[in-house]
Amino acid sequence: MHGTARLRAVAVQQQGKKREISIRGRKFEAVRLVLPVETINPVLLIDHFWMDKPTFPPHKHAGIAALSIMFEDSECGFSNRDSFKLGDRIIAPGELQWTISNKGIVHEEIPDPAKPGKTAHGAQILMNIPEASKLDKPQVIHLNQEDIPVLTPSEGARVRVLSGSQFGLSPETKKRMKPPIDITLLDCILKPSAVLDLEIPEGRVAWAMVIKGSGSTTTMRCTEEGGLKEDQQNKQQEQQQQQQQ
């Protein structure tokens, strides 16, 4: 039995607020999504960030993968450099880069130095990598904007397939290199009142992080007869929210 997650956009302002951090006088703003590890494994944390000046000094990663995603509306790219010179480049708006540390790598990411005063807008996701890969050499995988499939599966919905596969599509990677993490990541833009249905394979967990605006999710479950049955727990939550309003 598999399920379908339904995402619905609504025309209201974003709920929640940014967390502002000042480090050595340099500005960095971020919203962090933290969920129980057992819920979103292998994801460790997700930061939706804005950075306009160098903030974090070079630092070491080991045993994890850092995925840096630059949103298409970012005013500038992200300049990445690492101790092995595997990923020394600008991650331009609309692009992404995996830094898979394995046994260890030192890296630094800052807003594009060629565009002073501009703000880098993106997300960084830290993920645990399989135990069997943790002693391997570090690896960097870069995806240009044109390597990322874009589709419109429903009216008012635009989806970029950043990792894994959805709707039968997967991103193109150099020499067909694939991250050692089995995860599907989608960058979705929904117009007000648009609805997007995503199939969730049996045994998998789905989560969503709102970047701008707000919306709702409803889990639909397939019965053995082939019909869709709305998840009772989500229905009760929606009813409680309506009563509170």
Side-chain angles (χ1 to χ4, degrees), residues 7-98:
L7 307 182
R8 183 184 301 275
V10 294
V12 298
Q13 294 183 346
Q14 182 176 8
Q15 298 179 357
K17 53 186 178 180
K18 292 183 288 185
R19 179 192 66 210
E20 182 173 320
I21 304 174
S22 180
I23 299 178
R24 300 178 185 174
R26 305 163 186 173
K27 292 296 182 179
F28 170 78
E29 293 178 290
V31 174
R32 174 165 292 182
L33 179 63
V34 179
L35 294 173
V37 174
E38 63 273 13
T39 301
I40 57 173
N41 183 57
V43 176
L44 301 174
L45 63 85
I46 308 165
D47 278 344
H48 168 207
F49 68 84
W50 298 258
M51 185 189 296
D52 58 17
K53 292 182 181 179
T55 303
F56 302 103
H59 51 281
K60 184 176 181 179
H61 286 175
I64 63 172
L67 174 60
S68 300
I69 303 167
M70 298 310 300
F71 293 131
E72 294 172 291
D73 67 354
S74 182
E75 295 178 349
C76 66
F78 229 21
S79 175
N80 180 88
R81 60 176 184 166
D82 62 72
S83 51
F84 294 92
K85 299 187 181 299
L86 298 174
D88 289 9
R89 59 168 58 85
I90 299 295
I91 309 171
E95 298 182 349
L96 64 85
Q97 184 158 296
W98 292 84

Side-chain angles (χ1 to χ4, degrees), residues 102-148:
N102 292 330
K103 63 180 181 180
I105 192 171
V106 176
H107 84 145
E108 179 186 35
E109 291 176 315
I110 63 174
D112 187 350
K115 297 183 178 181
K118 299 296 183 180
T119 299
H121 180 211
Q124 186 165 85
I125 306 176
L126 298 186
M127 290 169 270
N128 193 21
I129 61 177
E131 196 68 31
S133 301
K134 292 190 175 184
L135 295 181
D136 292 345
K137 293 181 180 179
Q139 181 184 15
V140 170
I141 301 174
H142 182 90
L143 288 183
N144 295 320
Q145 189 168 15
E146 59 268 24
D147 299 327
I148 299 172

Side-chain angles (χ1 to χ4, degrees), residues 190-209:
L190 303 182
K191 293 182 178 180
S193 300
V195 174
L196 175 64
D197 290 335
L198 301 171
E199 287 198 11
I200 311 300
E202 184 178 0
R204 304 301 288 262
V205 173
W207 51 267
M209 183 176 190

